[in-house]
Each structure stands twice: as C-alpha cells, then as structure tokens.
Amino acid sequence: MPESAMIDRFGRAITYLRVSVTDRCDFRCVYCMAEDMTFLPKKDLLTIEELERLCTAFIAKGVRKLRITGGEPLVRRDIMKLFEALGRQIGTGGLEEVTVTTNGSQLERFARPLFDAGVRRINVSLDTLDRAKFKAITRRGELGRVMAGITAAQEAGLRIKLNTVALKGVNDDEIPEMIRWAHAHDMDLTLIETMPLGDIDGDRTDQYLPLSLVRARLKELFTLEDIPYRTGGPARYVKVAETGGRLGFITPMTHNFCESCNRVRVTCTGTLFMCLGQEDAADLRAPLRASEGNDLLMQAIDEAIARKPKGHDFVIDRRTSRPSVRRHMSVTGG
Ligand code: SAM
Ligand code: SF4
C-alpha cells in the first residue's frame, strides 16, 4: 500500500477504479437507456491525456485494478492510446491489471490491439443468443458482430467473462442454455439483477427478476457448488458441476454487498462517484485542469474518499416509479 493509500471511514481500502470514457453507445439496451438519449457535448469530456493523468494519480494512490467502461468504451475515438498508456504501467507501480467492459460490437477490430496493450481479461455483455431477441433488447445491435468479436478476442488470447442481465419474460427461459454455451466455450458467465438507474422508456418493475428466483430454478437443472473464487468485484460464484464452469451472481437488489466495497467510479467528465447507488460526487476535472501538478487533484480525491458512503439503498417497487438514482448506468459506467 502506498503511503497516500485511499482508506475510507469504514476501513475499506480503495484499490479498484472504474473509468467511464464516454457516455455514448452504439446500442440502446432497454434496461440501460431510453431510445432517445441526449449525450454530453464533446467539450465536456476529459481528453485521452487527461484520462491518463487521472488514472495515473489514482494508481499512485493505491489503485491496483482499472476497468475501462462507458457507454461503449470502444466507440471513443483514440481509445487505444489510453489502453496503451495504461498498459505500460502494468507491473511497474502498484497497477496489476487493466480490463474493459464492452458490448462487443467493435471487438473484432480491437481484440488484438487490446491484448498487445497488456489487457488479458475482458467482460462482454450479452443477454441472449437469439438474433431477434438481441435486436429487441439492444434496439440496434447485431448479434453476429458480437459473436465475431468474441471469437476474435479468444483467438487474440483474451479471457472473456460474459455479463448477462436477467430480464423477466425476456431471457429468463434462455439462461440455462446460455450457461451451457458459455461454459462450453471456456467463458465464465455472471448474472446481474437490473438496477434502478436513470429514466428508461419502460417500467422497471416489468423487467426486474430477482436472482434468488433464477438460482432456485437453476438448481433444478444443475448442481451448484458455492466456491470462494473472487475477481475483486461483488459477484459471488458457484461451480456448475455438470459443465465444470463458473457462474457468478451480482445481486445488488436482494443482497447488499457494500461492506466489502473496494471501488470508486469516475465519469468521462471527471466526476468521481464514491457509490454507484448514491448521488454524492466530487468534481475532479476542475482540480485536474487548474494546474499541471497533481496536488489539488490528490486533495480533491482524499476529500471525496473521506465521504464514501456506507452503501446504497436501491428499491424497485410499484409505489415509486422514479429511478433510485437519476443518472444512467452508461454515465457512471457499469
Ligand atoms: N457498453 C458496455 C457494455 O454494455 O458492456 C459497458 C457499459 S454498460 C453500462 C456495463 C454493464 O452494465 C453491462 O453489462 C450492462 O448490461 C449493465 N447495465 C446497464 N444498465 C443496467 C441496469 N440498469 N441494471 C443492471 N445492469 C445494467
Ligand atoms: Fe450501451 Fe452497454 Fe448501456 Fe447497452 S448496457 S446501452 S451496450 S452502455
């Protein structure tokens, strides 16, 4: 731990930073965005150089793992420059790994450059294996392109974890098949509950499917063995005896995992969110731009970490139709 390590009021060491590099996306997933989205003006975004400087400051403050996310990170122009700059820092200071969460649409093109930059593991979001359903969920995605991206990533040597949002009446019937398919192709799969983030066009109570229910159904088909495997995130894993693969559950709604939270998130405008589920935030862009040195930035980070809340309190119920948190997941970065 560096001397200036980030330890919050509850004794949690912050070692994981998720960086959203754009709020834009080539998809409009129904649980994530509205059809008509207003995106930030480009001038509000941190430049690639500023993003690099910000990440480097966090690495000096004890961040060991960086995840680049969005919006869709691979649609940001010149994004490889950021991966290359960060990749060069792996193993030199405290930084252990750089990862990315992507919808896979551009992966065919980026798989090899990502590997060459030092990325070894990626998360690909995939909610269905059915072409028509994929189009319906993403509103504009092509399943074939994502599949080609997955193949290219595996050929390049990237390990893939699939993230699948469990959606009631949409993909719940397909989950067992997706698990078998992922495991047969040497990929872990993690199921995620929908979280009430940002206005979408539909009703979230229609989509919400508690993973406790999914797990109970899966137990009728598979033997699920709890295992202590962790990737530094909130997922809890089981081994599926029949396939030999790993299955993760991220259950923000039915199980509160905040006590072991080691992460903070920064948006593409340099706003630091200490908790995905709370509104409190700190602006890091002003101190970043105020001087060439990092003193003001470091001070702003310390002040923010001192305010990191104990946890979130997400609720999805029919009495409150408003989202618990107004900003979309694509702003804070999933
Ligand atoms: N565009 C990239 C992707 O889809 O992987 C990265 C950003 S996306 C916001 C990150 C993850 O958040 C995706 O796995 C997505 O399924 C998930 N996500 C988006 N909105 C969500 C919500 N309201 N509840 C739960 N997960 C959500
Ligand atoms: Fe885009 Fe990812 Fe949100 Fe889907 S989940 S709309 S791919 S940011």
Side-chain angles (χ1 to χ4, degrees):
M1 268 292 139
E3 221 176 281
S4 60
M6 299 177 286
I7 314 276
D8 76 359
R9 286 178 291 157
F10 307 100
R12 296 171 298 191
I14 311 305
T15 55
Y16 183 1
L17 177 68
R18 297 173 76 102
V19 185
S20 174
V21 294
T22 177
D23 63 329
R24 287 163 200 257
C25 186
D26 50 346
F27 292 1
R28 295 285 183 279
C29 301
V30 288
Y31 49 79
C32 180
M33 293 192 182
E35 173 89 67
D36 251 341
M37 292 287 288
T38 313
F39 293 113
L40 292 163
K42 294 227 167 84
K43 65 172 176 40
D44 287 357
L45 264 55
L46 296 185
T47 63
I48 295 288
E49 292 71 27
E50 285 170 336
L51 284 166
E52 181 196 344
R53 206 177 129 208
L54 192 67
C55 291
T56 306
F58 272 100
I59 295 165
K61 293 192 77 56
V63 161
R64 294 200 283 257
K65 182 168 163 183
L66 274 171
R67 179 173 294 279
I68 305 300
T69 176
E72 174 47 40
L74 300 182
V75 301
R76 169 105 196 228
R77 200 143 67 93
D78 288 341
I79 193 63
M80 280 316 302
K81 286 193 184 145
L82 182 66
F83 282 108
E84 284 156 10
L86 296 174
R88 283 193 286 274
Q89 299 194 47
I90 297 172
T92 57
L95 185 64
E96 289 165 10
E97 76 170 335
V98 177
T99 58
V100 59
T101 299
T102 174
N103 65 22
S105 69
Q106 314 295 316
L107 203 47
E108 196 174 13
R109 191 153 61 91
F110 282 107
R112 172 69 55 188
L114 284 170
F115 185 89
D116 290 345
V119 176
R120 291 294 175 268
R121 297 194 303 142
I122 64 170
N123 286 0
V124 178
S125 304
L126 185 65
D127 302 328
T128 176
L129 295 173
D130 180 278
R131 213 165 277 272
K133 223 188 266 184
F134 186 83
K135 174 82 34 77
I137 295 173
T138 62
R139 292 197 184 104
R140 46 182 82 168
E142 294 291 339
L143 180 64
R145 286 194 63 190
V146 176
M147 290 300 178
I150 288 175
T151 306
Q154 291 194 313
E155 282 171 6
L158 295 167
R159 266 208 76 75
I160 298 179
K161 179 169 79 76
L162 296 180
N163 281 343
T164 304
V165 176
L167 298 161
K168 187 162 72 181
V170 179
N171 67 356
D172 37 357
D173 58 325
E174 236 192 301
I175 290 173
E177 186 197 337
M178 289 194 67
I179 294 170
R180 286 192 194 97
W181 179 80
H183 290 176
H185 291 85
D186 198 24
M187 294 180 273
D188 292 344
L189 184 144
T190 293
L191 295 168
I192 307 175
E193 279 171 349
T194 51
M195 290 173 246
L197 303 174
D199 279 319
I200 53 169
D201 295 328
D203 178 353
R204 286 193 189 276
T205 49
D206 288 348
Q207 301 175 345
Y208 177 58
L209 174 64
L211 288 187
S212 47
L213 197 66
V214 176
R215 189 173 171 139
R217 286 189 202 147
L218 288 174
K219 269 184 163 163
E220 292 171 10
L221 297 171
F222 298 114
T223 318
L224 308 181
E225 300 160 8
D226 284 315
I227 49 171
Y229 177 74
R230 295 274 184 279
T231 54
R236 295 293 171 264
Y237 285 88
V238 296
K239 186 170 169 195
V240 180
E242 288 76 7
T243 62
R246 275 191 297 249
L247 172 65
F249 295 88
I250 299 186
T251 54
M253 308 304 296
T254 51
H255 169 243
N256 207 312
F257 45 55
C258 305
E259 63 281 356
S260 59
C261 180
N262 59 353
R263 63 190 53 201
V264 289
R265 297 174 158 83
V266 83
T267 69
C268 53
T269 56
T271 304
L272 179 68
F273 284 97
M274 289 70 87
C275 172
L276 178 63
Q278 302 281 356
E279 303 281 4
D280 188 27
D283 173 37
L284 300 182
R285 189 177 55 186
L288 188 70
R289 290 184 175 169
S291 69
E292 288 196 355
N294 281 348
D295 290 356
L296 291 174
L297 176 63
M298 295 300 204
Q299 196 186 329
I301 295 174
D302 285 339
E303 282 167 15
I305 298 300
R307 301 203 305 270
K308 183 169 160 68
K310 196 163 181 206
H312 66 67
D313 31 54
F314 288 138
V315 245
I316 293 185
D317 69 30
R318 295 203 180 267
R319 281 161 300 167
T320 55
S321 58
R322 280 176 300 117
S324 295
V325 172
R326 282 198 327 274
R327 61 184 189 280
H328 291 93
M329 183 79 125
S330 51
V331 171
T332 334

Short mmCIF file of all heavy atoms in Angstrom, two decimals, residues 3 165 241 296 330:
data_model
loop_
_atom_site.label_atom_id
_atom_site.label_comp_id
_atom_site.label_asym_id
_atom_site.label_seq_id
_atom_site.Cartn_x
_atom_site.Cartn_y
_atom_site.Cartn_z
N GLU A 3 1.90 5.17 0.72
CA GLU A 3 1.65 5.99 1.92
C GLU A 3 0.34 6.77 1.81
O GLU A 3 -0.37 6.98 2.77
CB GLU A 3 2.81 6.98 2.05
CG GLU A 3 3.29 7.16 3.47
CD GLU A 3 4.49 8.08 3.46
OE1 GLU A 3 5.59 7.59 3.14
OE2 GLU A 3 4.29 9.26 3.71
N VAL A 165 -27.68 -9.66 -18.01
CA VAL A 165 -28.71 -9.07 -17.15
C VAL A 165 -29.94 -9.97 -17.23
O VAL A 165 -30.40 -10.30 -18.33
CB VAL A 165 -29.04 -7.63 -17.59
CG1 VAL A 165 -30.18 -7.05 -16.76
CG2 VAL A 165 -27.81 -6.73 -17.46
N ALA A 241 -21.51 -28.15 -11.59
CA ALA A 241 -20.86 -29.48 -11.67
C ALA A 241 -21.00 -30.08 -13.06
O ALA A 241 -20.06 -30.66 -13.60
CB ALA A 241 -21.46 -30.40 -10.61
N LEU A 296 -3.65 19.54 -6.15
CA LEU A 296 -5.07 19.85 -5.98
C LEU A 296 -5.93 18.62 -6.24
O LEU A 296 -6.91 18.36 -5.53
CB LEU A 296 -5.49 20.98 -6.93
CG LEU A 296 -4.92 22.36 -6.63
CD1 LEU A 296 -5.29 23.34 -7.74
CD2 LEU A 296 -5.44 22.87 -5.28
N SER A 330 -24.86 4.07 -17.98
CA SER A 330 -23.90 4.43 -19.03
C SER A 330 -23.13 5.70 -18.69
O SER A 330 -22.13 6.00 -19.32
CB SER A 330 -24.63 4.60 -20.36
OG SER A 330 -25.72 5.49 -20.20
#
